[in-house]
């Protein structure tokens, strides 16, 4: 009876150790999670009003805020807990409106714990709003 309990305990420990080891290996190789959910920076010489709306994969708004950014000013938002502690990528739709509708950009980005979205304002460019994913 004692050997049966030891065998059962041993068979339960092996899968548990394998699962914990797998996630520890991912954390060690990938490093810590990136803190920023997004970063918005005005590279222009003028001040701009920028509206940021973020939708999840179900088209539900998870964030909506407006900012008035002076030249070379930037803002960022910390990553939500469920994204910062997840090992899978999640789709987000970033909708940026510049100066009350003069320019608008909408992009779908897949983010994970090691990536962040960056949004850059370059008024003199053909496309004044650039949205991209950055992996760290």
């Amino acid at each position: 009876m004692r050997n049966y309990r030891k065998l059962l305990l041993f068979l339960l420990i092996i899968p548990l150790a394998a699962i914990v080891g797998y996630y520890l290996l991912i954390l060690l190789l990938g490093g810590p999670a990136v803190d920023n959910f997004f970063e918005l920076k005005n590279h222009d010489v003028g001040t701009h009003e920028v509206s940021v709306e973020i939708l999840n994969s179900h088209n539900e708004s998870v964030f909506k805020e407006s900012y008035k950014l002076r030249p070379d000013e930037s803002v960022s938002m910390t990553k939500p807990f469920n994204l910062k502690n997840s090992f899978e990528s999640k789709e987000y739709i970033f909708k940026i409106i510049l100066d009350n509708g003069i320019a608008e950009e909408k992009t779908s980005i897949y983010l994970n714990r090691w990536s962040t979205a960056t949004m850059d304002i370059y008024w003199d460019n053909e496309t004044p709003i650039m949205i991209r994913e950055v992996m760290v």
Side-chain angles (χ1 to χ4, degrees):
M1 185 71 154
R2 223 173 228 194
N3 288 336
Y4 179 71
R5 284 186 180 169
K6 285 182 183 178
L7 179 63
L8 185 61
L9 183 63
F10 184 70
L11 290 175
L12 289 174
I13 289 175
I14 289 176
L16 183 63
I19 292 169
V20 170
Y22 171 76
Y23 286 109
L24 283 174
L25 185 63
I26 287 175
L27 287 174
L28 289 174
L29 294 176
V34 176
D35 286 332
N36 287 343
F37 187 35
F38 72 83
E39 181 178 9
L40 173 64
K41 182 161 178 129
N42 181 11
H43 296 277
D44 193 24
V45 293
T47 300
H48 293 287
E49 186 174 323
V50 184
S51 296
V52 177
E53 183 174 13
I54 304 172
L55 308 167
N56 63 13
S57 59
H58 304 293
N59 231 9
E60 300 166 337
S61 182
V62 295
F63 179 82
K64 189 171 186 175
E65 190 71 44
S66 292
Y67 302 100
K68 193 165 198 155
L69 296 176
R70 287 174 276 176
D72 291 322
E73 188 176 18
S74 65
V75 294
S76 62
M77 180 188 157
T78 57
K79 196 171 280 184
F81 180 81
N82 65 344
L83 182 59
K84 193 171 185 177
N85 293 301
S86 174
F87 289 102
E88 63 184 50
S89 292
K90 297 180 181 182
E91 180 185 18
Y92 293 95
I93 299 164
F94 285 80
K95 183 178 177 184
I96 313 303
I97 300 172
L98 183 62
D99 293 331
N100 295 319
I102 291 177
E104 186 174 318
E105 188 71 31
K106 186 176 182 179
T107 303
S108 175
I109 297 179
Y110 285 87
L111 295 176
N112 58 41
R113 63 183 283 121
W114 298 287
S115 63
T116 188
T118 61
M119 298 163 285
D120 299 304
I121 307 298
Y122 295 98
W123 186 251
D124 292 334
N125 277 1
E126 184 178 315
T127 308
I129 305 168
M130 297 177 66
I131 305 172
R132 59 194 161 100
E133 173 191 3
V134 176
M135 294 289 289
V136 179

